[in-house]
Amino acid sequence: MVLLFEDRPPLAFDVLSIGIGSVPTFDGVEQIDETVLAIKPMQSFLDRLEARLRTAKEHNPNRPLRIAVVGGGAAGAEITFCLPSRVKKLFGDVELELTLIHGGDELVSGSLPATSRRVHKELKERGVTVLLNQRVRRACCGKVELSDGTTIETDVVLWATSASAPELLRQLNLPTDARGFLLTDANLRTTAGAPVFVVGETGPM
């Protein structure tokens, strides 16, 4: 079999593994700017985060660093828990205002209710402002506008919502689910029967 490229000669293969991950979803968001930092691709997230935090702190050295995390799933909750220590490592004991925005009525959906309650309780005890049943309408110019009209001032917005499939997957002529992720069998092989395997988020989640 042969893999075709736009900018290089074809590549013959016996077995192919596809692992190009996923891309952030901005459904329903009317406007965003450079203050929004998507956590994906995760391989470069920490470097991008550090650069963005340093820029924000340089622009506003004499007031609290204001960070909003959008998405209260496992990824968003984990990042929110870890951010204070990362900020302290970079800047020392700076004041941090941290907000977690989630579109659902409970955090870490899909987990046990007791786990969700514990996560919520622990975040609040750590001084995190948790906003449930809210969606972001706009995130630009240092502000996040929510679905109920509330506006939050921010320096950095971390985007940790559910992901969607890269457009490239739709161009491979392989079976996909309704969201565009490659369909696989129990061995993570494409259901088309070709010697093509899927890694990580490239398959259905």
Side-chain angles (χ1 to χ4, degrees), residues 16-18 182-191 194-200 203-204:
L16 176 66
S17 176
I18 301 176
L182 297 181
L183 290 174
T184 64
D185 60 20
N187 296 313
L188 299 183
R189 180 176 178 172
T190 173
T191 56
V196 176
F197 293 81
V198 171
V199 178

Side-chain angles (χ1 to χ4, degrees), residues 112-131:
L112 294 174
T115 301
S116 178
R117 291 193 298 268
R118 183 171 182 178
V119 169
H120 194 160
K121 180 175 180 290
E122 185 66 27
L123 287 170
K124 294 184 70 174
E125 289 179 352
R126 296 188 185 194
V128 178
T129 300
V130 179
L131 302 177

Side-chain angles (χ1 to χ4, degrees), residues 19-50:
I20 60 174
S22 57
V23 295
T25 300
F26 295 99
D27 293 342
V29 182
E30 299 174 7
Q31 186 179 9
I32 61 172
D33 68 4
E34 68 279 357
T35 59
V36 176
L37 181 67
I39 66 171
K40 297 180 181 298
M42 287 298 297
Q43 296 91 328
S44 63
F45 173 62
L46 289 180
D47 290 338
R48 292 183 290 115
L49 173 63
E50 181 174 336

Side-chain angles (χ1 to χ4, degrees), residues 129-158:
T129 300
V130 179
L131 302 177
L132 300 178
N133 296 305
Q134 293 284 357
R135 297 191 177 276
V136 173
R137 185 177 299 165
R138 296 181 181 86
C140 62
C141 308
K143 296 181 180 180
V144 173
E145 181 183 336
L146 303 180
S147 50
D148 68 352
T150 300
T151 298
I152 302 169
E153 294 187 350
T154 60
D155 299 306
V156 180
V157 181
L158 301 182

Side-chain angles (χ1 to χ4, degrees), residues 15-106:
V15 178
L16 176 66
S17 176
I18 301 176
I20 60 174
S22 57
V23 295
T25 300
F26 295 99
D27 293 342
V29 182
E30 299 174 7
Q31 186 179 9
I32 61 172
D33 68 4
E34 68 279 357
T35 59
V36 176
L37 181 67
I39 66 171
K40 297 180 181 298
M42 287 298 297
Q43 296 91 328
S44 63
F45 173 62
L46 289 180
D47 290 338
R48 292 183 290 115
L49 173 63
E50 181 174 336
R52 191 65 58 86
L53 292 176
R54 290 192 183 281
T55 298
K57 194 59 182 171
E58 289 171 2
H59 288 171
N60 300 284
N62 299 317
R63 63 163 172 75
L65 184 60
R66 305 170 303 189
I67 304 176
V69 178
V70 180
E78 181 178 352
I79 287 171
T80 306
F81 277 124
C82 295
L83 269 172
S85 62
R86 172 62 64 169
V87 170
K88 183 175 182 179
K89 180 179 180 180
L90 293 175
F91 308 115
D93 292 321
V94 301
E95 189 175 355
L96 176 63
E97 294 179 359
L98 190 52
T99 303
L100 177 60
I101 304 165
H102 184 51
D105 57 6
E106 61 179 23

